[in-house]
Structure formats: C-alpha cells, structure tokens
Amino acid sequence: MTGIGLDRLSLNQATVKHLGLAEAVALCARHDIPAIGLWRDRVAETGLDSAVAAVRAAGLHVSSLCRGGFFTQADADGRAAARADNRAAVAEAAELGADTLVLVCGGLVPGSRDLGLARRMVADAIGDLVPVAQRLGVRLGIEALHPMFCADRCVIASLGEAADLALTFPADVVGVVVDTYHVWWDARLSAEIARAAGRIVSYQVCDWVLPLPADVLLGRGHLGDGEIDFGPVSAAVTAAGYDGYVEVEIFNAGVWAAPPDRTAAIVRERFGSVLGW
Amino acid sequence: MTGIGLDRLSLNQATVKHLGLAEAVALCARHDIPAIGLWRDRVAETGLDSAVAAVRAAGLHVSSLCRGGFFTQADADGRAAARADNRAAVAEAAELGADTLVLVCGGLVPGSRDLGLARRMVADAIGDLVPVAQRLGVRLGIEALHPMFCADRCVIASLGEAADLALTFPADVVGVVVDTYHVWWDARLSAEIARAAGRIVSYQVCDWVLPLPADVLLGRGHLGDGEIDFGPVSAAVTAAGYDGYVEVEIFNAGVWAAPPDRTAAIVRERFGSVLGW
C-alpha cells in the first residue's frame, strides 16, 4: 500500500472537546479507531486508574498524553510548580502507556522580552525532566508551535528549533512532535523532518483554514478543508522512519459543536482519503 | 552614540493610513521626520508627478515604495497583469527615488496547495522583473511575511527563505526587507540577518501586541507596547552593514483612529527610546 492506513488513526481527545474520557473512548470503539490522544484535564476528571482501565478495556492504544510544558515561569515558586506538574505528567503518561508526553514549552517569561532566556529555561526544564522520563520509560515530545504563538505559548517556533533541542538529549527519551498546523509553512520542513529521523515521537494532523477566526487557537479544520498539502509532509515523516499512530487533533468551535459521531465519521473518512495518498 | 539615531527615522505611510500623501508629507515635515515610506494607492491618488514634487519640496527622502508582488496568480491573464503592475511599480519607485520597492510575493496559487509551485512562481516573476529594475536603478526588497500569512499573502515565510531567494540574483538589484513583526520569533534570525549582509534594503519596525486582534493583519503596535526585543535585531541589522532609514510601519485600528500628530509624536519618541539603545 501507499500512504497511511486507518490502522494508524488516532483521535486526539481535543477534537471532541465536550466529551469526557469514557465517552471519547466509547466513540473510538464505535468508529473502529484504534488509538486515542488523551488530555490531562479529562484524565484527572475521570481519575487516572479509571482512565487506564477504560482505555485497556476498550483495547485502545494511547498515542499521546497532552500535555506537559509551560516551563517559562517568572518566579521560583512558579518554576517549582511547573516542575512538579511535569513530573506528575510523566508518571501519568507511564501509567497510561502513552507513546509520548507532548510538551508545549511556554512563551516569553512574564515581564521579559528575552527570547534567549525563555529558550534556555525550556532547555533547562527538559533537562530536569529527562531522568524522570528515562526512569519511567516515557518519551517526551517537544512540539514546535506556530510562530504566531511564540510570545504567549511556545518559544519553540519551528521544527528545526525543536530538533536542535531534542538532539541535545538521549534519543530514547526526547523527541519531537510534528503537527502539520504548526509547521506546514516552513520551506525547510522536509529537511528538518529528515534531520529529526529517529526522533519523531508523534505526528499530528489537521488543516489550516482561512480566514483565521478571531481566536487563532481555533482556526483548525478537518483534513482537506484547508490549505495544507498533507502528501509531502506525510511522505517526509514516513521516510524519516516514523511508523506510529497519526493523531487527528482539531481545535475548532464548529467541530466541537457538531455531534461527536458525525465528527468521528468525518475524521475517519478524511484520514483515508487525504492521508492514504 | 550607540543605537539608531532619529536622523534615520522614516514614517511608513500605512501608520497614518487615513492621510493622503500630501498630508502625510506635511506631517513628517512638522515632526522633523526625514524620510517616508509611500504606498502606491496614495501615490496614484495624488498623481506620480505631484507625489514626486511633494516629497522633493519637503526635502523628504523616500525610504520605500510599498508594494509590488502578488505574483502567484492562477491564470496567464492574471500573471500578465501582475507582471505589468510590477513593472509600473518599479518605474514609480525610480521616479520617487525610493531606496527599495517592497515585494509582498503572494500566497498559494488559487486552487492549489502546492507551496513549491507558488515559490517557483515567485522566483520566476522576480527573475522577470530584475532586468527592468536593473535598468531603472531600483532595488527590489523581498519581504518575508509572518508564517500566519503564508497561505493567503506570502509564501516567503522566513528571513532565511527570503535571503535564499535574493542570493540567486545580483546584489545591486535584489535584497531583503527585515520587518520585526514578521521575523522576531525566529531562533535563526541573527544568523540569517548576518547571512543577508549587503542584501538588506529595508529595516521596518513595529511591535507584536497581545492578544492578536480578530483581523491578524492589524495586530501591530508602537515600539515598546508589545513583546519584541528590538535591541538584538537592530544590533544584528547594523552589524550586517545596514545604515539606511528605519521605517515605522504600524497596522492598527487604534493607531489609525488617533490624531496623526499624536501618532507622529509617539513614533518619534519611541524610536528614540527603544531603538537608541
């Protein structure tokens, strides 16, 4: 076959934001979706043990846990809290058997415009987390966010930068997340994906839909509804050796308002037609 | 002195969007601003000869003409029209004695998701324009726009990509525009500015203000009102040999609604306090 088969489809829970964990798990089972990306708030709401039991009972694989990160706190208390929270996230990812803990690293340090400082803090915080992750067998996934989120959410703003950072740590513990929405625009994307070979721990997909909505966090769409050419990105990720699950993760108020079964059906249909190139 | 002096200040006309050319010229004269960045619609409204006479009478230097580009038309007629329009823009820039004609190169080709195609069309169109610019002594400035505009306005989405493209043409004809708003997030920015030494034909400044407004085109602010650390960018541009005018270009509905004399006074004051580092 060519392309990516439906046996590699994972539904990121954020795509059906209004469902609790048990409902999202049941949705995946109903639609023959073999894996799920979980969010920590929904895991906490359910309870970790119940969440683990639910995904196991359904025979679902957990392709990612979202998310750790937000390392760039201004004060020592904030940094200590972030550190503790990230250690807890690693432990949760281990219990859930998640392929990766996704890290959204944080924006500029409050009160500072120093990008270099924020980036050094991210590197230091990941360094702190690595022994914990290594001990528990969890892989950390550094996610480059779109540069429009650089100031307030993630100073790691390109895949190349995420790869540079990941490559300073052991390959079995730190990798990168490739999310089409965040990196599709980059003229260096194919080269950077190739450079990240062996380090790609998650491939997330959704489309870039115009016009951007008032809240740019929510401008994502179903595969095929927007501007992204998924073929070359998928081919590069595949050539770099990634053969894990591919998560559909869509933040979109319209998608959230749709009936979840309808959303799951579209996710499945588009995955086949757009990624099975 | 250190930093960038007020003798290098240029007011881009877009900052006082509601003023006609003659009014904007008079504003610069009143506020001892020695240069102006002009927009073609306002030049056309005034008439090219009158525009040339107005800036000369006021002793103003024209630091840029905005803008050529939008090369990625789907059909032959559209491409021919863009080509004719860009030739006209070069001629206008020559008449005005503008330091550069700023090129906003265009987004994806309508009906296509092929980024490579759009980028090849941009390169081809600039190649077409180079002999015209060379003959008239005009320098073309390739502007990298922020990646959030990649799909609909400019597929050249990083300074490195703009530099790669510029470096395929003669240095006296094609350079790059460094606009802080579009490139500030880039971890490779200093390196790419250094690589563009001798090719920087315009340095434009404004700030990145949070939250982004509903229309992300208008999320710019006065220097110091946002998140950008101008010192390192200015130092890199200076180290790369750029000693031309520095244009303040702010797209912001609130700034446009303010009295222009107030805006000009803030522009001057912030230029001194933020760039005179």
Side-chain angles (χ1 to χ4, degrees):
Chain A
M1 64 158 287
T2 55
I4 294 172
L6 282 163
D7 57 321
R8 292 174 60 195
L9 169 59
S10 175
L11 180 70
N12 186 289
Q13 191 171 8
T15 305
V16 287
K17 183 186 173 68
H18 300 314
L19 296 190
L21 187 140
E23 296 168 303
V25 165
L27 183 76
C28 289
R30 274 203 303 285
H31 290 267
D32 198 20
I33 294 173
I36 190 165
L38 295 178
W39 279 68
R40 291 183 67 210
D41 56 340
R42 290 298 194 178
V43 171
E45 180 186 76
T46 307
L48 180 59
D49 292 345
S50 300
V52 170
V55 293
R56 292 208 179 136
L60 273 184
H61 189 85
V62 179
S63 52
S64 77
L65 179 64
C66 301
R67 62 203 182 187
F70 291 98
F71 298 120
T72 54
Q73 308 297 320
D75 59 300
D77 285 354
R79 286 192 295 276
R83 187 171 165 162
D85 187 57
N86 275 282
R87 287 167 181 251
V90 168
E92 291 159 28
E95 284 296 312
L96 290 160
D99 291 334
T100 190
L101 173 67
V102 174
L103 301 180
V104 172
C105 292
L108 290 169
V109 181
S112 164
R113 295 188 179 92
D114 189 341
L115 268 171
L117 169 66
R119 286 167 173 153
R120 293 193 305 275
M121 285 173 64
V122 168
D124 286 350
I126 293 175
D128 273 348
L129 203 56
V130 160
V132 182
Q134 198 154 34
R135 192 162 58 242
L136 297 179
V138 170
R139 279 184 109 186
L140 306 173
I142 302 171
E143 181 164 19
L145 257 56
H146 194 284
M148 67 185 173
F149 303 120
C150 183
D152 49 349
R153 304 186 79 78
C154 184
V155 291
I156 310 299
S158 69
L159 184 63
E161 192 185 349
D164 284 342
L165 182 52
L167 288 164
T168 63
F169 297 106
D172 61 329
V173 192
V174 183
V176 299
V177 177
V178 177
D179 183 320
T180 55
Y181 186 78
H182 294 304
V183 302
W184 73 277
W185 53 270
D186 190 346
R188 296 180 53 86
L189 185 58
S190 291
E192 297 298 351
I193 288 173
R195 197 162 65 90
R199 294 279 184 161
I200 300 172
V201 296
S202 174
Y203 180 34
Q204 296 183 328
V205 291
C206 73
D207 216 331
W208 177 273
V209 177
L210 290 175
L212 296 185
D215 181 346
V216 292
L217 279 175
L218 307 184
R220 309 189 187 194
H222 282 294
L223 309 186
D225 281 354
E227 309 294 330
I228 296 178
D229 192 4
F230 290 93
V233 187
S234 296
V237 167
T238 301
Y242 182 73
D243 58 4
Y245 287 96
V246 180
E247 275 187 20
V248 177
E249 183 190 44
I250 304 173
F251 295 74
N252 179 302
V255 172
W256 290 341
D261 280 290
R262 171 93 183 117
T263 296
I266 296 173
V267 162
R268 225 185 123 77
E269 188 270 317
R270 297 292 179 84
F271 194 93
S273 61
V274 174
L275 296 191
W277 78 91
Chain B
M1 66 161 287
T2 57
I4 294 173
L6 282 163
D7 57 321
R8 292 176 60 195
L9 169 58
S10 175
L11 180 70
N12 186 289
Q13 190 171 6
T15 305
V16 286
K17 183 187 174 67
H18 300 315
L19 296 189
L21 187 140
E23 297 168 303
V25 165
L27 184 76
C28 288
R30 274 203 303 285
H31 290 268
D32 199 20
I33 294 173
I36 190 166
L38 295 178
W39 279 68
R40 290 182 69 209
D41 56 339
R42 290 299 194 177
V43 170
E45 179 186 76
T46 308
L48 180 59
D49 291 346
S50 299
V52 170
V55 293
R56 293 209 177 135
L60 273 184
H61 189 85
V62 179
S63 52
S64 77
L65 179 64
C66 301
R67 58 199 185 191
F70 291 99
F71 298 120
T72 54
Q73 308 297 320
D75 59 300
D77 285 354
R79 287 192 294 277
R83 187 172 165 161
D85 187 58
N86 276 282
R87 286 166 182 252
V90 168
E92 292 159 28
E95 284 296 312
L96 290 160
D99 291 335
T100 190
L101 173 66
V102 174
L103 301 180
V104 173
C105 292
L108 290 169
V109 181
S112 164
R113 295 187 178 94
D114 188 340
L115 267 172
L117 170 65
R119 286 166 172 153
R120 293 193 304 277
M121 286 174 63
V122 168
D124 286 349
I126 293 175
D128 273 347
L129 203 56
V130 160
V132 182
Q134 198 154 33
R135 193 162 58 242
L136 296 179
V138 169
R139 280 185 109 186
L140 306 173
I142 301 170
E143 182 165 18
L145 258 58
H146 194 283
M148 69 184 170
F149 302 120
C150 182
D152 50 348
R153 305 186 77 78
C154 184
V155 290
I156 310 299
S158 69
L159 184 63
E161 192 185 348
D164 284 342
L165 182 52
L167 288 163
T168 64
F169 297 107
D172 61 329
V173 192
V174 183
V176 299
V177 177
V178 177
D179 183 319
T180 53
Y181 186 77
H182 294 304
V183 301
W184 72 277
W185 53 270
D186 190 346
R188 296 180 53 84
L189 185 58
S190 291
E192 297 298 351
I193 289 173
R195 199 162 65 90
R199 295 279 183 161
I200 300 172
V201 296
S202 174
Y203 180 34
Q204 296 183 328
V205 290
C206 71
D207 216 332
W208 177 274
V209 178
L210 290 175
L212 296 185
D215 180 346
V216 291
L217 279 175
L218 308 184
R220 309 188 188 196
H222 282 293
L223 309 185
D225 281 354
E227 308 294 330
I228 297 177
D229 193 5
F230 290 93
V233 188
S234 296
V237 167
T238 302
Y242 183 73
D243 58 3
Y245 287 96
V246 180
E247 276 187 18
V248 176
E249 184 189 43
I250 304 173
F251 294 74
N252 180 302
V255 171
W256 290 341
D261 279 289
R262 171 93 184 117
T263 296
I266 296 173
V267 162
R268 225 187 123 76
E269 187 270 318
R270 296 292 179 85
F271 194 92
S273 61
V274 174
L275 296 190
W277 79 92

